[in-house]
Amino acid sequence: MANEASGQSRARAGVRTWPVERARRAFGAVSPGVEFAFPARLREWAAQEVAAGRLLPWFAVSFGAGIVLYFTAEHEPAVWAASGLAAIGIASAILLRRRPVGFVLALGFLALTAGFAVATLKTALIAHPVLRYPAYGVSLAGFVELREESQKTDRFVVRVDRIAGNRIVETPQRVRLSVRRGKTPPAGAFVEVKAQLNPPLQPLRPGSYDFARDLYFQRLGASGFVHGAIKIVAPPVEAGWRLRANAYIQGLRDAIDFRIRSVLSGDVGSIASALITGKRDAISEHLYDSMFVSGIGHVLSISGYHMAVVAGVVFFIFRALLALIPGLSERAPIKKWSAFAALLVTTFYLVLSGAEVATQRSYIMIAIVLIGVLLDRPILTLRTVTIAALVVLLFAPEAVVHPSFQMSFAATLALIAGYERGIPWARAGADTSLGARAALWGVREMLSLVVASLLAGLATTPYAAFHFHRVAPYGVLANLLAMPIVSGWVMPMGILGVVTIPFGFDGVFWRQMGYGIQWMDLVALWVSSLPGAFGRVASFGTGPLLLATAGLLLICLLKTPLRLSGLFFVALSIGLALRAPLPDIVVAADGRTFAVRGTNGKLSFHRTASDPFAMREWLAADADGRDVTDRGLGEGIACDPAGCIGKLPDGRLVSYALAPEALEEDCRRAAIVVVTTRAAPPDCNALVVGRELWRTRGALLLRRDGGDGFVIDAARPENFDRPWAPRPSRAASGANSDSEARPAAEHTVPRCDSEA
């Protein structure tokens, strides 16, 4: 009777559950009239997948999809429109709450519109000016908020107080400046500098990472270089509490970094500092690349692994120490005390490490687990990662397009799914003599490490291939050799080193930490030297990445055999990625570098700029192992003071005109003319790629469409106008007749597609 009364009261209050029987009726499992729609087994599986507690992860997926949809818009959505759409989603969910299928669809629509609205609102809240044109001889002054170190140059972020210079239409609020190594001012100082400022870097090729978008959400309006001395002067106003707190944290990080480097030098000290303070820019390029090639580069980014180790070590130490006190474990909840101590330490670790996206996600998950221990509540791991994803995306919706977020959650989701489904297998035979001997020799732990490395590696492979154009074939081997040392020795020694700094005994722990790091470095260098260790992957579009993501979600989130449908999406994504066409011509966003694919199937380069950054990206995206210093990169392109000529595999010529006098001849001989000086003649027979095209549309890729025509992919769509990449005005761009690609009469009109 009590249960019935309770159920009636819940019904009157409007709280409704989602019983399996109701889901079965919704999918026709017990309705004779619709048995023809689906086979009985499929209806039963579908009913199980929408049972109580199964739809929460998909709500987070739909929320993230709404954010992704926001970033595909060509111009900035209106806040009122996005909010109104979210309101419609809420109303739909309320109206359809009594209809099982309709309610599920309404919740998905609500999550989609909510994600779109949150991203729109976040962009509106952080709106700030972005530098439109390069500015030279700029005088600026402001507070130093952040300082970073690297092997060649250091960087620091200035919150601008005043600025003066040419071509500065609107004053950027924060700028990032590069300076000679060791010359960065301390955080919190008020400085005056002379600098060269540049607009945020646009994508280096269509479909590549958007640095301008990343800087915009970091609230950086420009970047540049310091010229001359940096003057530290008295501030005109008192620094705010946020700046003072940030300066204190920066000072604490610098102090710990100094203590580590006073004991450990070179790359060992840099990696030790990266594991503790999050500073990883000072690691040598060769070792840095070797770690990622070998598959253990994830150690350098403070994420779930580090948070779990820190929380576990602190929890174990506190609980062990409290258990040593006679009778305390019987009178007091020492398990909860230990969980609270672990929560405090992980919070400190979050702040100290810089609170990157992967660190935030890891902290949220660890905090949920520890709070569950404090409240005596069971924790569902899949629900934990779902809540973590929703919290991160709510406060930082831009994280969804960042490789750190994608790889971190993909690995975590795969590990949780594998853990939930692998525990019965792992425990099988544990109570037998053979199982006991296997446990004694650590066989189960080793197998768990191998399986975890394999799952995480497979889950992150699509994102590593998409963003970095590489995979790690020997990742399982490297993780098996290195991670036990990092977990059992390096991180515990690092924690003890931080704790003992005030007492002056930290040096011995840093040295012990260094021994473990040396082993990890040896593993990375050895594995990266193995044949085929560098798995290069040619670039592909977002379509295969989305298909791979859908497959991963189906495999990990579904519980019934329906999850095997995810293998189809994964296989389809692999096929499409392998069939992605390579470009025949590449033009940089500044027009100072271009490349032509020659008869040998490789890109030949010509550049007038000194920065090889774009060339590195183009080579990586082409799965080309050549270095930018290779003298053979220019083979196949003939140059003189008037311009350059390259030859396509079919024999047609590509002209890169540097002087006006070269245009007339190139228009007769070449199939494509890349103009860098002025407008081409109106009667030009070649396909003209005018300078206004790459000035307004960014980097360009040209590929043959199967006939005599070419398809042009641009980094920015034709009408792209977002806060991080404002559309140039026609007056500013000087829209001339060469503002678009003009085809020859006998050529096919090019299509301008964008993968940005």
Side-chain angles (χ1 to χ4, degrees):
M1 295 296 292
N3 292 337
E4 292 179 2
S6 176
Q8 292 174 359
S9 64
R10 286 198 302 269
R12 288 192 297 269
V15 178
R16 305 180 65 84
T17 60
W18 190 271
V20 176
E21 290 301 324
R22 184 180 179 186
R24 287 174 175 167
R25 289 194 298 272
F27 283 85
V30 293
S31 299
V34 293
E35 287 183 357
F36 65 92
F38 299 102
R41 185 61 61 85
L42 289 180
R43 296 198 306 272
E44 181 67 25
W45 289 342
Q48 294 178 26
E49 296 296 352
V50 299
R54 297 288 179 86
L55 295 178
L56 180 60
W58 293 105
F59 186 89
V61 172
S62 298
F63 189 87
I67 299 174
V68 172
L69 185 64
Y70 161 81
F71 282 110
T72 62
E74 291 187 355
H75 64 85
E76 191 62 23
V79 174
W80 64 265
S83 302
L85 194 63
I88 294 175
I90 295 174
S92 301
I94 294 175
L95 293 175
L96 297 174
R97 68 187 185 277
R98 297 178 183 274
R99 299 181 178 273
V101 177
F103 183 59
V104 171
L105 297 177
L107 280 180
F109 179 72
L110 169 59
L112 189 76
T113 56
F116 189 88
V118 164
T120 305
L121 182 60
K122 172 66 180 292
T123 305
L125 290 176
I126 68 168
H128 61 85
V130 174
L131 190 68
R132 305 289 292 271
Y133 313 103
Y136 305 92
V138 177
S139 299
L140 63 88
F143 287 100
V144 177
E145 292 187 343
L146 178 68
R147 56 193 303 263
E148 301 172 347
E149 298 178 353
S150 65
Q151 282 289 341
K152 299 179 180 179
T153 59
D154 294 345
R155 300 185 303 188
F156 62 98
V157 175
V158 177
R159 192 184 69 189
V160 177
D161 179 73
R162 60 180 184 272
I163 188 171
N166 61 334
R167 309 188 76 185
I168 298 181
V169 180
E170 295 181 302
T171 301
Q173 299 175 358
R174 300 169 75 241
V175 300
R176 186 170 65 190
L177 300 174
S178 298
V179 68
R180 287 186 299 174
R181 183 163 172 78
K183 299 296 183 180
T184 50
F190 190 88
V191 298
E192 294 179 348
V193 299
K194 289 278 191 180
Q196 170 189 336
L197 296 182
N198 299 311
L201 183 63
Q202 302 295 318
L204 299 175
R205 61 186 304 278
S208 67
Y209 191 72
D210 196 338
F211 300 95
R213 181 186 60 206
D214 192 19
L215 291 181
Y216 183 84
F217 282 96
Q218 295 180 39
R219 307 192 183 190
L220 294 172
S223 60
F225 306 90
V226 172
H227 294 304
I230 301 174
K231 299 179 181 179
I232 300 179
V233 299
V237 295
E238 185 179 358
W241 68 269
R242 289 185 178 180
L243 184 60
R244 293 197 301 270
N246 182 65
Y248 175 79
I249 295 171
Q250 286 290 315
L252 185 60
R253 296 178 70 189
D254 292 341
I256 296 176
D257 177 69
F258 175 78
R259 284 299 310 152
I260 294 174
R261 295 178 189 273
S262 65
V263 178
L264 302 175
S265 60
D267 287 329
V268 175
S270 299
I271 293 177
S273 180
L275 296 178
I276 302 300
T277 67
K279 295 184 175 183
R280 61 179 186 272
D281 293 329
I283 303 172
S284 65
E285 184 176 356
H286 176 64
L287 179 60
Y288 190 84
D289 291 339
S290 296
M291 295 190 69
F292 280 94
V293 169
S294 63
I296 57 177
H298 61 87
V299 175
L300 300 178
S301 177
I302 297 177
S303 57
Y305 167 77
H306 304 77
M307 281 287 176
V309 171
V310 170
V313 170
V314 173
F315 182 85
F316 172 79
I317 292 177
F318 267 82
R319 192 172 186 183
L321 292 176
L322 293 175
L324 294 177
I325 302 176
L328 182 62
S329 60
E330 299 176 358
R331 302 191 306 269
I334 62 173
K335 181 179 179 181
K336 295 183 179 181
W337 292 0
S338 302
F340 182 72
L343 182 61
L344 292 179
V345 173
T346 51
T347 303
F348 172 76
Y349 191 33
L350 170 72
V351 175
L352 181 66
S353 63
E356 293 185 350
V357 173
T359 317
Q360 296 174 23
R361 187 269 310 163
S362 309
Y363 172 77
I364 293 171
M365 291 188 62
I366 295 296
I368 292 173
V369 172
L370 294 175
I371 292 174
V373 175
L374 293 174
L375 300 178
D376 293 323
R377 297 292 299 272
I379 300 298
L380 297 178
T381 54
L382 191 57
R383 184 172 297 176
T384 301
V385 72
T386 300
I387 296 174
L390 287 172
V391 172
V392 171
L393 293 178
L394 182 64
F395 292 99
E398 69 277 7
V400 76
V401 292
H402 198 280
S404 175
F405 176 91
Q406 296 171 4
M407 297 180 71
S408 177
F409 272 93
T412 303
L413 186 61
L415 290 173
I416 288 176
Y419 175 83
E420 290 181 344
R421 296 164 189 169
I423 283 297
W425 167 82
R427 290 178 177 173
D431 54 350
T432 65
S433 59
L434 179 60
R437 289 196 298 271
L440 180 63
W441 287 97
V443 173
R444 188 178 299 121
E445 285 70 18
M446 293 182 64
L447 288 176
S448 298
L449 181 59
V450 170
V451 172
S453 300
L454 185 61
L455 290 175
L458 289 175
T460 57
T461 291
Y463 308 98
F466 178 81
H467 292 288
F468 309 114
H469 316 298
R470 61 190 179 197
V471 295
Y474 302 116
V476 174
L477 174 63
N479 280 273
L480 181 62
L481 294 175
M483 299 317 295
I485 302 299
V486 177
S487 303
W489 188 258
V490 173
M491 291 303 296
M493 291 298 106
I495 296 172
L496 293 175
V498 173
V499 172
T500 54
I501 286 179
F503 305 99
F505 297 103
D506 55 306
V508 62
F509 296 108
W510 300 134
R511 294 185 187 92
Q512 299 302 317
M513 185 181 186
Y515 296 145
I517 293 175
Q518 290 177 1
W519 169 256
M520 182 178 67
D521 293 349
L522 290 174
V523 170
L525 294 172
W526 175 69
V527 172
S528 63
S529 66
L530 295 176
F534 203 123
R536 294 182 175 87
V537 179
S539 64
F540 50 87
T542 56
L545 184 69
L546 293 175
L547 287 173
T549 302
L552 177 67
L553 292 172
L554 291 172
I555 293 172
C556 295
L557 296 183
L558 298 184
K559 305 295 184 180
T560 66
L562 289 176
R563 64 178 181 267
L564 298 179
S565 61
L567 297 176
F568 168 77
F569 289 93
V570 172
L572 183 60
S573 69
I574 294 174
L576 292 177
L578 294 177
R579 291 175 57 86
L582 294 175
D584 294 294
I585 303 168
V586 190
V587 182
D590 59 1
R592 302 176 69 182
T593 307
F594 90 109
V596 178
R597 190 172 305 280
T599 55
N600 61 355
K602 295 184 178 181
L603 292 176
S604 297
F605 292 83
H606 173 77
R607 64 186 174 105
T608 58
S610 58
D611 187 5
F613 191 32
M615 292 178 60
R616 287 195 181 96
E617 169 63 21
W618 295 358
L619 287 170
D622 214 51
D624 193 332
R626 292 177 295 172
D627 190 79
V628 292
T629 59
D630 190 341
R631 294 185 178 180
L633 291 179
E635 294 181 359
I637 296 182
C639 294
D640 58 31
C644 301
I645 291 292
K647 183 178 291 186
L648 294 171
D650 59 5
R652 289 185 292 176
L653 300 180
V654 178
S655 167
Y656 182 72
L658 297 174
E661 56 268 20
L663 285 175
E664 183 177 354
E665 181 181 358
D666 291 343
C667 283
R668 294 195 307 266
R669 298 175 54 201
I672 296 177
V673 175
V674 180
V675 180
T676 63
T677 54
R678 61 178 178 85
D683 57 347
C684 185
N685 293 324
L687 171 63
V688 178
V689 180
R691 59 180 176 178
E692 294 305 323
L693 180 62
W694 40 261
R695 280 182 176 178
T696 58
R697 304 282 302 279
L700 305 173
L701 299 182
L702 286 80
R703 66 178 185 273
R704 289 168 294 179
D705 62 358
D708 293 334
F710 290 85
V711 175
I712 301 179
D713 293 337
R716 302 296 190 197
E718 184 175 2
N719 298 314
F720 194 83
D721 186 14
R722 303 303 295 269
W724 53 88
R727 183 182 182 184
S729 63
R730 295 186 63 86
S733 62
N736 299 321
S737 59
D738 67 338
S739 62
E740 295 182 355
R742 187 170 67 250
E746 67 269 20
H747 287 319
T748 304
V749 177
R751 301 191 305 271
C752 290
D753 302 327
S754 175
E755 296 176 353

